[in-house]
Amino acid sequence: MRIAVDAMGGDNAPQAIVEGVLLASKDFPTIEFQLYGKESEIKKYLTNDQSNIKIIHTDEKINSDDEPVRAIRRKKQASMVLAAQAVKNGEADAIFSAGNTGALLAAGLLIVGRIKGIERPGLLSTMPVIGSDTGFDLLDLGANADNKPEHLVQYGILGSFYAQNVRGIKKPRVGLLNNGTEETKGSELTKKTFELLSQEESIHFIGNVEARDILTGVADVVVTDGFTGNAVLKSIEGTALNIVSLLKKSILDSGLKGKIGALLLKDALKNLKDEMDYAKYGGAVLFGLKAPVVKTHGSTGPEAVATTIRQIHTMLESQVVAHLVEKFEPKSQD
Amino acid sequence: MRIAVDAMGGDNAPQAIVEGVLLASKDFPTIEFQLYGKESEIKKYLTNDQSNIKIIHTDEKINSDDEPVRAIRRKKQASMVLAAQAVKNGEADAIFSAGNTGALLAAGLLIVGRIKGIERPGLLSTMPVIGSDTGFDLLDLGANADNKPEHLVQYGILGSFYAQNVRGIKKPRVGLLNNGTEETKGSELTKKTFELLSQEESIHFIGNVEARDILTGVADVVVTDGFTGNAVLKSIEGTALNIVSLLKKSILDSGLKGKIGALLLKDALKNLKDEMDYAKYGGAVLFGLKAPVVKTHGSTGPEAVATTIRQIHTMLESQVVAHLVEKFEPKSQD
């Protein structure tokens, strides 16, 4: 198992990336890590005894404000591009990055490549179900801005494969995000998608679900178009962040009494933070490609990097991509 | 000023509705309230000295699970239908309901009627800006499932008129909800809308805004299609509700220490609740009709009913609908 790591992507790179890889390599000593990036920078955080960690030196990197497709095409020696090339050439089995999301999506599509038969790979994250240890997979989170019903059906199948293989859910319940739960509800896109999903026998489609209910676990997989998925993800993130910072401010403003109260509630507040933290499920996967292409937040720390490596390990071990190929690629006539 | 009130709509009707009207009538003794509904039920909550409150008796009402358009067409004597008819016939200036949202939208469109020149009235709510007394107007929240760029431009104008007239913002900043802030971002719909909004000189268009940032007040008016708006609203509501209930549960689970902590933090927690409570801005308006058609949550209490009456009062006093007619109806050639 070989993972190509873009060591230069993210706000805290390469330190957080290298430290995360070191954490993960303790759990998975058989994984070969290929770190793409500036050797002198990377070496600062390594000792000499990590024989399963290789450095592939390059000076070039993609910045967070680079225009994605142009960056992938022009910066041929960028750490992210070289890591994607390694996957394409069969020298690595998966790619990890905390860098420019758009560029990683472009690298995934243009370099790693789609599985034959999958029209639009979807960006998938496992989100927390509040008050429970499980989560739900939401896709597409914005790999595509415009989708057809057929794409959404493929998202349903992709999500179902992911939930089954990577999260170990036997018969994932697939819901369609809609503006009401009734069968007749929706836009032209969701009405047509509902019809097609109802006919798709390879998944367990449970009907429409509303954004209000997804955090409570009404479905294991929630399917939506990339524009709506992006808006829903950012609404959840924005609301959670704002509530937490408002709570902090309210506590600070309420003086000594508030501070003692907060101290007594420390465990409860920590529990709240843990429950909302979806980095615990790993990163976002551009799913439907020939290999795992996985992205974590740019501001990520070593722990979240290690969690994402663990997620990639599960994806590789379960051979979820091979299962997808089996499902989607037209069978050859032997 | 005469307001037609659907006294039978909502989970706590008619009690919460009548008590809310009584609260509001103290502030606005010159408003005539017309209460449509079961006289014997309504009278329970009135005394004899409310000369500005009239009861128009009817036995029929629309239930929360009635199919909206069918209910409006068949239940001709329903309290909501009679209230809308009163507005249409010029016997009342606005309608208020806490009942079936779909039915009220249908009653607004089919009975009260659109302003000439406005293709798709939009459902608008003022949402809280966290850590601030102001809010922002979000529309369309789901009056329409499919929108064209031209509709979104009209939402921009409608929202701007509302923010100016009802919320007193001199030059409302209008933002387009998109999957990135850059000009080139978006779906086919938002790209075309961006172009048209940039050319619309009657409003102050500030460009794209992301769902992550709207609660922090990046714009005074946020424009989106009805499907996305509905999903964003429900995501915000769902996330806020889940966090608050999780916090409560965490506090209960942390025993005596937690309970004392919560007691000390009472003010901070109350502050959190107040900040998130968007009922303080009134109800949702189906905007673009010939008269104010305003809806509050079905679970609403007397205070929120009174707040919504205050909002309707401001809408009528500012003559925002007349201003809209001036803007949209083709001028007659005198």
Side-chain angles (χ1 to χ4, degrees):
Chain A
M1 211 176 272
R2 302 152 305 168
I3 301 179
V5 175
D6 168 16
M8 307 310 283
D11 309 339
N12 311 315
Q15 182 172 0
I17 312 298
V18 177
E19 288 176 359
V21 164
L22 286 177
L23 277 177
S25 75
K26 278 184 207 156
D27 291 342
F28 304 110
T30 59
I31 297 180
E32 175 187 300
F33 292 97
Q34 303 167 1
L35 306 191
Y36 293 81
K38 204 160 187 157
E39 185 163 17
S40 58
E41 291 287 311
I42 293 170
K43 275 199 161 164
K44 283 186 200 165
Y45 309 103
L46 289 177
T47 52
N48 285 325
D49 57 349
Q50 283 103 20
S51 60
N52 59 333
I53 300 180
K54 280 171 57 181
I55 301 174
I56 297 93
H57 173 76
T58 180
D59 279 322
E60 203 167 29
K61 65 170 182 167
I62 291 176
N63 299 315
S64 61
D65 56 352
D66 278 344
E67 200 284 309
V69 176
R70 195 185 306 153
I72 291 301
R73 293 219 163 109
R74 298 207 182 153
K75 292 186 164 177
K76 297 276 185 207
Q77 297 301 313
S79 54
M80 186 195 282
V81 173
L82 292 181
Q85 285 288 358
V87 174
K88 187 198 165 131
N89 300 340
E91 294 153 16
D93 304 305
I95 170 170
F96 165 87
S97 177
N100 183 319
T101 307
L104 187 65
L105 296 183
L109 287 168
L110 301 175
I111 302 174
V112 177
R114 290 182 293 123
I115 291 172
K116 233 180 268 175
I118 296 185
E119 275 188 71
R120 300 279 187 100
L123 191 64
L124 170 154
S125 257
T126 304
M127 312 275 297
V129 167
I130 307 287
S132 150
D133 283 340
T134 69
F136 69 97
D137 293 308
L138 182 61
L139 79 165
D140 174 27
L141 296 175
N144 306 284
D146 290 288
N147 279 122
K148 294 184 179 152
E150 292 74 19
H151 305 151
L152 268 67
V153 174
Q154 292 199 332
Y155 294 157
I157 300 170
L158 287 170
S160 198
F161 266 77
Y162 187 88
Q164 223 162 8
N165 287 278
V166 183
R167 298 202 293 126
I169 295 169
K170 285 222 173 84
K171 197 181 167 190
R173 297 160 302 149
V174 178
L176 174 65
L177 190 77
N178 211 338
N179 58 5
T181 53
E182 304 90 330
E183 205 169 307
T184 54
K185 281 273 185 174
S187 62
E188 283 172 37
L189 175 64
T190 55
K191 281 180 190 167
K192 181 70 190 163
T193 303
F194 187 98
E195 205 185 307
L196 295 179
L197 280 172
S198 303
Q199 293 158 12
E200 177 59 47
E201 288 177 1
S202 70
I203 59 170
H204 178 39
F205 178 54
I206 59 161
N208 292 323
V209 297
E210 291 197 82
R212 188 186 283 133
D213 303 320
I214 55 180
L215 288 176
T216 64
V218 286
D220 300 306
V221 174
V222 175
V223 169
T224 185
D225 67 279
F227 189 86
T228 309
N230 191 268
V232 164
L233 176 71
K234 288 175 180 167
S235 299
I236 294 174
E237 284 180 352
T239 308
L241 275 175
N242 274 297
I243 293 186
V244 169
S245 69
L246 181 66
L247 187 62
K248 274 187 194 158
K249 194 182 162 295
S250 296
I251 290 173
L252 284 176
D253 288 353
S254 58
L256 184 64
K257 206 172 77 172
K259 281 186 199 74
I260 298 172
L263 207 64
L264 290 169
L265 277 181
K266 216 174 103 188
D267 295 343
L269 295 174
K270 186 174 175 311
N271 180 26
L272 179 71
K273 197 163 156 274
D274 291 347
E275 288 260 1
M276 289 303 299
D277 175 26
Y278 63 98
K280 68 185 166 195
Y281 300 111
V285 182
L286 184 59
F287 205 45
L289 299 179
K290 288 177 183 158
V293 172
V294 185
K295 165 79 177 64
T296 56
H297 262 289
S299 59
T300 217
E303 276 294 347
V305 172
T307 306
T308 308
I309 303 279
R310 210 167 294 135
Q311 170 196 19
I312 295 174
H313 178 265
T314 311
M315 286 185 76
L316 291 173
E317 201 177 46
S318 68
Q319 300 192 24
V320 64
V321 171
H323 295 319
L324 276 183
V325 171
E326 227 167 86
K327 164 87 186 163
F328 283 97
E329 287 203 357
K331 304 277 181 301
S332 61
Q333 310 279 334
D334 291 324
Chain B
M1 210 175 269
R2 303 152 306 169
I3 300 179
V5 175
D6 168 17
M8 308 309 283
D11 309 339
N12 311 313
Q15 182 172 358
I17 312 298
V18 177
E19 288 177 358
V21 164
L22 286 176
L23 277 176
S25 74
K26 278 184 204 153
D27 291 341
F28 305 110
T30 59
I31 297 180
E32 176 187 299
F33 293 97
Q34 304 166 2
L35 305 190
Y36 293 81
K38 205 161 188 158
E39 185 163 17
S40 58
E41 291 285 312
I42 293 170
K43 274 199 161 161
K44 281 185 200 165
Y45 309 103
L46 289 177
T47 52
N48 284 326
D49 57 350
Q50 283 103 17
S51 60
N52 59 333
I53 299 180
K54 280 169 57 180
I55 300 174
I56 298 94
H57 173 76
T58 181
D59 279 323
E60 203 167 31
K61 66 169 181 167
I62 291 176
N63 299 316
S64 61
D65 57 351
D66 279 344
E67 199 284 309
V69 176
R70 194 184 304 153
I72 291 299
R73 293 218 162 110
R74 298 207 181 152
K75 292 185 163 180
K76 297 275 185 208
Q77 297 301 313
S79 54
M80 186 195 284
V81 173
L82 292 180
Q85 284 288 358
V87 174
K88 186 200 166 125
N89 299 339
E91 295 154 14
D93 304 304
I95 170 171
F96 165 87
S97 177
N100 183 318
T101 306
L104 187 65
L105 296 183
L109 287 168
L110 301 174
I111 302 174
V112 176
R114 290 183 293 124
I115 290 171
K116 234 182 267 173
I118 295 185
E119 275 188 71
R120 299 279 186 100
L123 192 63
L124 170 155
S125 257
T126 304
M127 312 276 296
V129 167
I130 306 288
S132 151
D133 283 341
T134 69
F136 69 96
D137 294 309
L138 182 61
L139 80 166
D140 173 28
L141 296 174
N144 306 285
D146 290 288
N147 279 122
K148 294 182 179 154
E150 292 74 19
H151 304 151
L152 269 65
V153 174
Q154 292 200 333
Y155 294 156
I157 301 170
L158 287 169
S160 197
F161 265 78
Y162 187 88
Q164 222 162 9
N165 286 277
V166 183
R167 298 202 292 127
I169 296 168
K170 285 217 174 87
K171 196 181 169 189
R173 298 161 301 150
V174 178
L176 174 64
L177 189 78
N178 211 337
N179 57 6
T181 53
E182 304 90 331
E183 205 169 305
T184 53
K185 281 273 186 173
S187 62
E188 283 173 36
L189 174 65
T190 55
K191 281 181 191 167
K192 182 71 190 161
T193 302
F194 187 98
E195 203 185 308
L196 295 178
L197 279 172
S198 303
Q199 293 157 12
E200 177 59 48
E201 288 177 2
S202 69
I203 59 170
H204 177 38
F205 178 54
I206 58 161
N208 292 323
V209 297
E210 290 198 83
R212 190 185 283 135
D213 304 319
I214 56 179
L215 289 176
T216 63
V218 286
D220 300 306
V221 174
V222 175
V223 169
T224 185
D225 66 280
F227 189 86
T228 309
N230 191 267
V232 165
L233 176 72
K234 288 174 179 166
S235 299
I236 295 174
E237 284 180 352
T239 308
L241 275 176
N242 275 299
I243 292 185
V244 170
S245 70
L246 181 65
L247 187 63
K248 274 188 194 158
K249 194 181 162 293
S250 296
I251 290 173
L252 285 176
D253 288 353
S254 58
L256 183 64
K257 205 174 75 172
K259 281 186 199 72
I260 298 172
L263 207 64
L264 290 169
L265 277 181
K266 215 174 105 187
D267 295 341
L269 295 173
K270 187 176 176 307
N271 180 26
L272 178 71
K273 197 163 157 272
D274 291 348
E275 288 260 1
M276 289 304 299
D277 175 26
Y278 63 99
K280 67 185 167 194
Y281 299 111
V285 181
L286 184 59
F287 205 44
L289 300 179
K290 289 177 181 157
V293 172
V294 185
K295 165 79 178 60
T296 57
H297 261 290
S299 59
T300 217
E303 275 296 345
V305 171
T307 305
T308 308
I309 303 280
R310 212 168 293 135
Q311 170 195 20
I312 295 175
H313 178 264
T314 311
M315 286 185 76
L316 291 173
E317 202 177 45
S318 68
Q319 299 193 28
V320 64
V321 171
H323 294 317
L324 276 184
V325 170
E326 228 167 83
K327 164 86 186 163
F328 282 97
E329 288 204 355
K331 306 275 181 302
S332 60
Q333 308 280 336
D334 291 325

